Amino acid sequence: MAGTIHEGAEFGVGDFVLLHDVTLDAFMDNLKLRFQKHKYYTYIGEVVVSVNPYRPLNIYDKTYVDDYKGREIYERPPHIFALADDAYKAMKRRGRDTCIVISGESGAGKTEASKVIMRYIAAITGVSGQREVERVKNVLITSTSILEAFGNAKTKRNDNSSRFGKYMDINFDFKGDPLGGHINNYLLEKSRVVFQQKGERNFHSFYQLVYGCPDKKLQELFLTRDPHQYHYVSQGQDPRVHSIDDKKDYSIVNGAMKQMGFDSTQSDTLWKIVAAVMLLGNVDYELDGDNVRITDKKIVSCVAQLLSITTDDIDKALCFRVLAARGEVMEKGHTVSEALYARDAFAKAIYDRMFTWIVDRINLAIDATKDFIQHGRNTVIGVLDIYGFEIFDNNSFEQFCINYCNEKLQQLFIELVLKNEQDEYMREGIDWVHVEYFNNKIICDLVEQQHVGVMAILDEACLNVGTVTDQMFLEAMDKKLAKHDHYDSRRLNAIDKTMEHNRDFCVRHYAGNVIYSVLGFIDKNKDMLYQDFKRLLYNSKNPMISAMWPEGVKSVTEVTKRPMTAGTNFKNSIIALVGKLSSKEPHYVRCIKPNEEKSPHLFNDERCKHQVMYLGLLENVRVRRAGFAFRMHYERFLQRYKCICKSTWPVYHGNERDGVKVIIDERRYGNDVEYGKSKLFIRSPKTIFELEEARSNVIPKLVFLLQRMWRGALARRRAKFMRAIYKIMDRYRRYKLRCYIVKLHQLFRNVRTTRDYGKSIKWPKPPTILSGLIDQLHKVHGRWRAGMILRNVPRSDWPILSIKIAAAEVLFNKRKDWGYGRVWAGNYLQSEDPSLKKKKTGDNMNTADFVVSMNNLKSRDSYGKIIFSSMAKKFNRHNGNAVRGICVTEKFIYKLDVKKKFKPMRKGIPLSDVTGLSLTNGNDQLIVIHLKGNNDLVLCLLSLKGDERVGELVGQLNRHWQRNQKKNLRVIIGNNLQCMLGDKQRTISVIESNNSTEPAFKSNGVGVSLLWKQQSS
């Protein structure tokens, strides 16, 4: 129901229980559709089926935590948060211990699922902010990175595969806050320390040390950056993994150790042990007469220093074995094969003891025993993250144990699911319907049954005196298990050529047939480590290493009890684990691996179908659908569906069961339901979908009604508030304005008599609410000042004054002299000065020619008037310079040929093409008019009287620019001017000289010089 309601029908069914047809094909079609639609969680009742997305997802942040916190599992789309919250609520509300069992094959995402659950529990607890609560939560989360570093490895199926089983109990106080916890680890895959298949790696810790350790520390550990130099970590042939950053992880692990309370000595010792194990793999032997000796003593010396033992002692332990018989002590030399076996056993034991120490150290940090007395009643949530079912090309003792563990968990799953269903039916008074399913108890008995089980036969072979081989163990199984339906071998089934003679046997697991090789079964089950190594490390000068080997305290002559075999030890721990889980209220996450390529897009139908079968998911659906597809408490049913019935909406005044019956009868579903004591049971998914569809049709109308009523209430309240606010604002604004105006009146009382009419008076800071009004007062005062200043200036001089102001805005304090003190005539080529005409000394002696030429241009170009004209020395792109007439109108700039009666040279330059001006800060008349098209106008204005005219031309052009562009023209003032002539950049400088009679341009390569007559001081 969850998927259909909250996600839409296009995403399939969110709960497999609601499938119309309970068949394997229908199950797979729905699973594949949801994967393709990026919906990776689906329910089977309260069981979460999780498909590994093989990509990061943004569905685990605080928003999602808030969405699922405190909600019932069906109230939101399927998500692992819903299951974690359900477990937490069962623990907190009912005071019951709960557990979350995460299962699936390697690479299906079990470890990631456990981390997501831990983060969710940490996020929803500890609201009181207690320091202890925060500490426990941080420790629980931080411990994961340490355990993954030393207990996870890359396999062919998974880059971060857990090579050990982990069960964590989290203890909570009566408020539901975490107090601490305890971690149990199961069967670390020790054989990986000394051997890896092609394409796999050793544990992450080895590669984190090689790639992440600082150079100086790496030298102290006698290691190099190249993992190929070390036999124990290079057998997989590919030490780099693209999805893993070993260097970064090394820093994370060290930080986690520090946060967990590991001191520097403890952290250093752990990395020393890892380095020592790597170096042990390079120890090799050769024959020296009847004895063996180590070929490279330097390696042994390095290992001895790392483990704080003497070189002679470790050399002796690796080459000899000390025996005690009838009180006599003797040494027996190893053969080469025995020495290599002893070396590998030593390396595996060192790493296993180190991992056990790490788990114990983490437990010490999160142990809640001391808090039980302080806080009274406590409850527990257990999280089980254990290896999934494994089928490799070569399956050995480890895979046999792992698959036995999965058989036990599957047996527990079926029993608990059936038991929960049966108990619920009995509580509610509903008749139980028997469901056919495969009971894998027969397979569990095949492994664990006394005397005739595989484990018992293996222990018997290990206890026999004399030489017992793996082949003899296989023969014993063939004799005792020949008639078992789930056991097979080549001797019993000669036509099955998938198994080899005297090596392989087959167990028909619930997940499929697995062929195991017996080679190494006896050695791995004995898990034998010579007592010499235990005494060797017990006598280490490093107290931490010594504490890992307490049994080494015994002397050579002391008789030691035969240790329990690895298989029996594992079997007993799994039986104890199953017993612990059986005592708790279970919750399940069933993880599925969609493909072998670790692709976020591929869905391998056959691989997924195989996993669905061996996880028993279809049986789970059938059990859940045993007569009834859905059930819900009366109170919640009435609350959810009362809106679809007029008799129950908006409030039903009877009891909940009667209200539910009213809804069911009105919808005519009476034949499809059963009424329990506290729940309604619905048989077919069709009824649920119809109820949901009816509710979905009504909800928009109810939402619209509520929105309308709420909007009206909000609007009325807002209108009331706004009227009051505006009235207060109006009163306040008037008050502040009066105060401010009074203050201004005091300041500006006598400004009429001041020289600057109040320009220098600093205005008081206005209230923020009056900022717009104060801008207007500034403008009013500015206009009044302007009027006071201009009242003594004739109105006929105002146009020239505005041009001078335009020039001042870009030249003031930037150029020494820009002619503001003289009268600006503008049109100097048509001067009307009688004195100039009389003396014949004006700029232009041929005024009539100029007037005729400009009148012709005016009739052609229709310009308004001439705003500036003058003689000028012009420099062009061909390095030529000549005297030209320059005339600026309201539309164009004209270059006029003086010698040809002021004939225009080409067309006028539109003023819109002007982009800026450049001039110097001296007295010269050089000006560069920058134009579009990269061909600027370079001029030196000429005046017979030596007038400063550059400022006037700048004023005219800037004034025109201000009118059209509403801003100042760009003016550049400097000693060296840049310009573009014919798409080439040129630099112009001014050279003052007493020898120059008139201005002249001179080219000197890329640069241009203006020779200017030096002004007398």
Side-chain angles (χ1 to χ4, degrees):
M1 182 176 70
T4 306
I5 296 172
H6 303 290
E7 300 167 323
E10 68 272 18
F11 297 106
V13 179
D15 191 334
F16 287 112
V17 174
L18 300 180
L19 286 173
H20 187 271
D21 298 317
V22 185
T23 63
L24 182 59
D25 290 339
F27 190 101
M28 293 304 302
D29 289 344
N30 189 60
L31 187 69
K32 185 175 183 178
L33 173 63
R34 290 183 63 76
F35 177 80
Q36 292 171 342
K37 296 291 186 179
H38 309 300
K39 301 297 179 182
Y40 302 105
Y41 296 115
T42 314
Y43 294 143
I44 303 178
E46 283 82 31
V47 176
V48 172
V49 179
S50 170
V51 183
N52 194 337
Y54 285 121
R55 66 186 184 92
L57 301 176
N58 60 344
I59 59 172
Y60 305 111
D61 57 20
K62 187 178 184 301
T63 303
Y64 282 86
V65 171
D66 294 339
D67 280 348
Y68 286 87
K69 182 178 179 181
R71 299 281 186 175
E72 295 301 322
I73 199 167
Y74 55 79
E75 292 181 355
R76 287 288 182 269
H79 199 293
I80 197 169
F81 281 177
L83 178 130
D85 193 76
D86 197 47
Y88 181 74
K89 283 184 299 189
M91 179 274 299
K92 188 174 181 180
R93 291 177 181 174
R94 299 193 291 274
R96 296 191 58 182
D97 291 347
T98 61
C99 64
I100 300 173
V101 180
I102 307 170
S103 57
E105 71 172 41
S106 179
K110 299 185 300 300
T111 300
E112 286 303 314
S114 68
K115 289 193 286 188
V116 169
I117 290 170
M118 291 295 298
R119 286 199 296 267
Y120 179 81
I121 293 174
I124 64 173
T125 56
V127 293
S128 57
Q130 302 172 29
R131 289 186 180 179
E132 183 65 15
V133 171
E134 292 300 317
R135 184 192 71 82
V136 171
K137 291 196 311 188
N138 292 336
V139 168
L140 291 174
I141 295 173
T142 304
S143 63
T144 303
S145 58
I146 302 174
L147 293 174
E148 285 187 2
F150 291 92
N152 288 25
K154 177 195 181 299
T155 65
K156 291 180 180 179
R157 295 185 174 183
N158 186 1
D159 290 348
N160 188 34
S161 176
S162 297
R163 308 317 299 161
F164 71 104
K166 179 178 71 173
Y167 175 75
M168 175 182 286
D169 269 336
I170 309 171
N171 298 90
F172 296 84
D173 63 13
F174 68 95
K175 301 189 302 298
D177 290 338
L179 293 171
H182 188 83
I183 297 173
N184 291 318
N185 65 301
Y186 299 93
L187 190 66
L188 178 71
E189 190 185 20
K190 294 188 294 184
S191 61
R192 182 170 294 273
V193 174
V194 299
F195 174 75
Q196 309 94 45
Q197 297 187 39
K198 186 177 180 181
E200 298 192 352
R201 293 204 316 176
N202 210 321
F203 294 102
H204 295 327
S205 57
F206 294 102
Y207 307 96
Q208 291 174 6
L209 180 62
V210 170
Y211 293 125
C213 184
D215 293 334
K216 183 179 179 181
K217 187 173 182 180
L218 201 65
Q219 291 177 0
E220 294 174 358
L221 297 176
F222 310 108
L223 298 178
T224 66
R225 293 275 181 219
D226 185 9
H228 291 96
Q229 295 185 16
Y230 306 100
H231 174 66
Y232 281 165
V233 298
S234 60
Q235 297 170 67
Q237 300 179 4
D238 190 11
R240 286 284 193 183
V241 182
H242 73 277
S243 62
I244 297 175
D245 187 345
D246 292 303
K247 184 176 181 180
K248 179 181 177 182
D249 290 344
Y250 175 82
S251 299
I252 292 173
V253 170
N254 278 307
M257 288 181 182
K258 187 175 181 180
Q259 191 173 347
M260 290 286 297
F262 288 56
D263 60 41
S264 58
T265 302
Q266 292 173 332
S267 300
D268 291 343
T269 299
L270 293 179
W271 293 119
K272 284 180 180 180
I273 293 174
V274 173
V277 172
M278 289 178 66
L279 293 171
L280 269 176
N282 289 357
V283 172
D284 211 349
Y285 300 89
E286 62 184 5
L287 283 173
D288 183 14
D290 293 335
N291 298 321
V292 297
R293 68 178 182 184
I294 297 171
T295 56
D296 189 350
K297 300 284 187 180
K298 185 178 179 181
I299 296 177
V300 179
S301 176
C302 295
V303 173
Q305 290 183 55
L306 292 171
L307 297 178
S308 300
I309 54 181
T310 65
T311 304
D312 292 340
D313 287 346
I314 190 173
D315 186 289
K316 185 177 179 180
L318 288 169
C319 297
F320 296 89
R321 180 184 177 190
V322 178
L323 299 174
R326 297 177 181 177
E328 294 185 7
V329 178
M330 62 186 72
E331 288 184 355
K332 178 181 178 295
H334 291 314
T335 63
V336 172
S337 60
E338 288 174 342
L340 291 173
Y341 174 85
R343 178 202 66 181
D344 290 347
F346 186 38
K348 290 188 291 184
I350 292 173
Y351 197 87
D352 182 60
R353 294 293 179 98
M354 177 188 69
F355 187 76
T356 302
W357 184 93
I358 290 172
V359 174
D360 291 342
R361 180 64 181 77
I362 293 173
N363 283 333
L364 185 64
I366 60 176
D367 189 11
T369 304
K370 62 184 179 182
D371 294 297
F372 287 175
I373 300 173
Q374 179 182 349
H375 296 280
R377 182 179 68 86
N378 70 91
T379 46
V380 170
I381 292 180
V383 179
L384 177 65
D385 171 18
I386 204 162
Y387 13 62
F389 197 87
E390 293 187 346
I391 306 177
F392 295 146
D393 296 334
N394 179 30
N395 301 292
S396 187
F397 178 75
E398 291 83 6
Q399 281 68 49
F400 182 78
C401 292
I402 288 171
N403 293 341
Y404 161 67
C405 171
N406 279 270
E407 288 284 359
K408 293 293 289 182
L409 292 177
Q410 177 66 10
Q411 183 186 19
L412 175 69
F413 174 69
I414 292 296
E415 288 178 354
L416 290 180
V417 168
L418 283 171
K419 184 175 181 296
N420 287 342
E421 288 293 303
Q422 192 170 5
D423 288 348
E424 184 172 31
Y425 277 49
M426 292 177 62
R427 284 196 307 269
E428 296 295 327
I430 305 295
D431 293 335
W432 170 252
V433 180
H434 180 69
V435 181
E436 293 293 336
Y437 69 95
F438 171 68
N439 189 341
N440 67 334
K441 183 178 184 301
I442 187 172
I443 303 174
C444 296
D445 290 342
L446 170 65
V447 177
E448 67 187 14
Q449 194 170 6
Q450 290 186 356
H451 307 301
V452 293
V454 175
M455 288 292 191
I457 298 171
L458 181 59
D459 282 352
E460 184 179 348
C462 292
L463 294 174
N464 286 340
V465 179
T467 303
V468 180
T469 64
D470 293 317
Q471 288 74 22
M472 295 169 67
F473 161 61
L474 180 60
E475 290 174 6
M477 285 197 297
D478 288 345
K479 290 178 182 178
K480 294 186 178 183
L481 302 174
K483 296 182 180 180
H484 201 289
D485 292 338
H486 292 270
Y487 174 84
D488 204 358
S489 70
R490 187 66 183 274
R491 183 181 287 106
L492 301 177
N493 187 5
I495 62 174
D496 187 354
K497 295 184 179 180
T498 59
M499 296 182 286
E500 288 193 16
H501 281 293
N502 299 323
R503 192 194 76 177
D504 296 340
F505 69 95
C506 175
V507 175
R508 296 185 179 93
H509 289 281
Y510 78 94
N513 297 346
V514 182
I515 296 174
Y516 298 99
S517 169
V518 296
L519 300 180
F521 258 62
I522 290 180
D523 285 340
K524 291 176 181 178
N525 189 47
K526 287 181 178 179
D527 197 21
M528 186 173 62
L529 181 69
Y530 298 138
Q531 192 72 18
D532 307 305
F533 291 119
K534 300 176 183 178
R535 286 191 293 270
L536 174 68
L537 293 184
Y538 175 75
N539 292 316
S540 168
K541 294 180 181 178
N542 187 319
M544 176 174 156
I545 296 176
S546 177
M548 295 180 188
W549 301 85
E551 65 270 43
V553 69
K554 295 181 179 179
S555 66
V556 180
T557 57
E558 286 187 68
V559 178
T560 57
K561 185 180 178 181
R562 184 187 295 271
M564 190 180 295
T565 60
T568 299
N569 198 17
F570 180 72
K571 180 188 73 173
N572 293 341
S573 64
I574 292 301
I575 292 173
L577 173 64
V578 169
K580 185 180 291 188
L581 296 177
S582 301
S583 66
K584 295 177 171 58
E585 183 175 315
H587 297 76
Y588 293 94
V589 180
R590 312 294 260 173
C591 299
I592 292 179
K593 184 178 183 180
N595 57 74
E596 294 293 341
E597 290 77 19
K598 303 169 187 171
S599 167
H601 308 293
L602 299 179
F603 187 91
N604 188 315
D605 294 87
E606 289 303 317
R607 287 286 297 115
C608 293
K609 185 182 293 185
H610 176 67
Q611 294 173 76
V612 167
M613 292 299 292
Y614 81 65
L615 286 172
L617 299 183
L618 202 60
E619 283 84 356
N620 188 194
V621 176
R622 289 196 181 106
V623 169
R624 185 73 181 179
R625 277 279 293 270
F628 300 99
F630 185 71
R631 69 289 311 265
M632 188 184 287
H633 285 282
Y634 292 130
E635 180 186 359
R636 290 191 173 274
F637 187 93
L638 181 62
Q639 189 69 24
R640 186 171 186 83
Y641 297 110
K642 66 180 181 180
C643 59
I644 66 175
C645 176
K646 292 182 179 179
S647 302
T648 56
W649 178 259
V651 178
Y652 184 74
H653 297 286
N655 63 55
E656 287 88 354
R657 177 168 177 161
D658 292 341
V660 171
K661 197 170 188 307
V662 169
I663 297 172
I664 294 297
D665 291 344
E666 183 175 298
R667 305 293 300 186
R668 298 180 181 178
Y669 295 143
N671 295 328
D672 197 40
V673 302
E674 287 286 343
Y675 296 95
K677 294 178 180 178
S678 64
K679 290 182 181 179
L680 175 72
F681 289 76
I682 302 175
R683 287 190 177 86
S684 65
K686 181 182 177 183
T687 299
I688 302 164
F689 292 138
E690 288 179 359
L691 284 168
E692 281 300 324
E693 185 178 2
R695 181 176 181 271
S696 299
N697 293 334
V698 172
I699 288 296
K701 300 175 183 177
L702 297 179
V703 170
F704 180 74
L705 174 64
L706 292 173
Q707 287 178 340
R708 188 180 64 186
M709 300 299 291
W710 180 243
R711 286 196 191 105
L714 287 179
R716 286 188 293 274
R717 186 169 66 176
R718 190 180 299 115
K720 184 177 179 181
F721 285 164
M722 291 304 292
R723 281 194 292 269
I725 288 170
Y726 282 131
K727 196 160 191 175
I728 294 170
M729 287 171 58
D730 181 59
R731 296 285 184 178
Y732 181 73
R733 187 181 291 114
R734 291 184 182 185
Y735 165 74
K736 296 299 286 185
L737 179 59
R738 280 197 305 273
C739 293
Y740 191 70
I741 294 299
V742 169
K743 198 170 186 179
L744 288 181
H745 183 263
Q746 295 293 330
L747 286 171
F748 288 86
R749 179 182 299 172
N750 300 317
V751 292
R752 187 181 294 271
T753 60
T754 60
R755 185 175 181 181
D756 61 356
Y757 300 110
K759 180 182 179 181
S760 59
I761 294 177
K762 184 177 180 181
W763 286 59
K765 185 178 179 181
T768 306
I769 199 170
L770 301 178
S771 58
L773 177 61
I774 301 310
D775 291 339
Q776 296 297 323
L777 290 177
H778 276 285
K779 291 180 181 179
V780 169
H781 178 250
R783 289 180 180 276
W784 176 80
R785 280 186 64 251
M788 294 298 291
I789 295 170
L790 291 175
R791 65 180 179 176
N792 296 322
V793 178
R795 184 168 289 273
S796 59
D797 292 344
W798 284 16
I800 295 298
L801 185 59
S802 67
I803 295 170
K804 288 186 177 183
I805 292 172
E809 289 184 3
V810 294
L811 298 179
F812 187 71
N813 285 336
K814 295 181 181 179
R815 183 174 168 90
K816 296 178 182 177
D817 181 20
W818 47 276
Y820 63 87
R822 68 176 186 83
V823 177
W824 287 2
N827 190 358
Y828 293 99
L829 294 182
Q830 190 180 344
S831 175
E832 297 295 334
D833 188 346
S835 63
L836 293 178
K837 285 185 177 183
K838 181 178 180 181
K839 297 178 180 179
K840 303 293 184 180
T841 58
D843 280 3
N844 180 16
M845 299 295 102
N846 299 306
T847 302
D849 294 338
F850 173 75
V851 171
V852 171
S853 177
M854 293 312 297
N855 286 337
N856 292 335
L857 288 173
K858 186 173 184 179
S859 58
R860 185 188 74 182
D861 295 340
S862 302
Y863 64 79
K865 67 175 182 177
I866 298 172
I867 60 177
F868 183 84
S869 67
S870 176
M871 293 291 188
K873 184 68 72 72
K874 177 181 175 298
F875 184 81
N876 61 25
R877 60 182 175 177
H878 302 297
N879 298 328
N881 61 106
V883 176
R884 295 283 186 253
I886 298 299
C887 183
V888 181
T889 69
E890 291 179 334
K891 290 185 178 181
F892 300 99
I893 300 175
Y894 295 101
K895 296 178 290 184
L896 308 173
D897 192 340
V898 178
K899 296 180 179 180
K900 296 181 179 180
K901 298 183 178 181
F902 294 97
K903 179 182 178 181
M905 304 177 69
R906 299 187 181 89
K907 293 182 179 180
I909 301 169
L911 286 183
S912 59
D913 284 358
V914 176
T915 61
L917 304 172
S918 291
L919 54 149
T920 70
N921 57 3
N923 295 320
D924 56 87
Q925 297 300 293
L926 175 64
I927 183 169
V928 177
I929 303 175
H930 300 288
L931 305 171
K932 297 178 182 177
N934 293 333
N935 194 19
D936 299 337
L937 195 58
V938 180
L939 304 170
C940 178
L941 301 181
L942 302 177
S943 170
L944 294 178
K945 296 174 63 176
D947 292 337
E948 164 59 53
R949 294 182 181 176
V950 168
E952 185 175 355
L953 178 55
V954 170
Q956 292 285 5
L957 293 175
N958 190 41
R959 183 60 178 159
H960 175 82
W961 189 271
Q962 288 175 340
R963 287 171 180 162
N964 290 279
Q965 303 295 331
K966 309 302 180 187
K967 61 180 180 180
N968 287 327
L969 180 63
R970 181 174 62 94
V971 177
I972 301 171
I973 299 175
N975 294 325
N976 296 314
L977 309 184
Q978 303 293 325
C979 68
M980 298 294 294
L981 293 174
D983 291 328
K984 292 182 180 180
Q985 185 169 343
R986 309 289 291 272
T987 301
I988 306 174
S989 59
V990 177
I991 300 175
E992 293 187 351
S993 173
N994 292 323
N995 299 325
S996 299
T997 58
E998 64 178 18
F1001 289 100
K1002 181 179 180 182
S1003 174
N1004 51 8
V1006 178
V1008 178
S1009 298
L1010 172 64
L1011 302 178
W1012 179 260
K1013 184 176 181 180
Q1014 187 173 10
Q1015 300 292 321
S1016 58
S1017 56

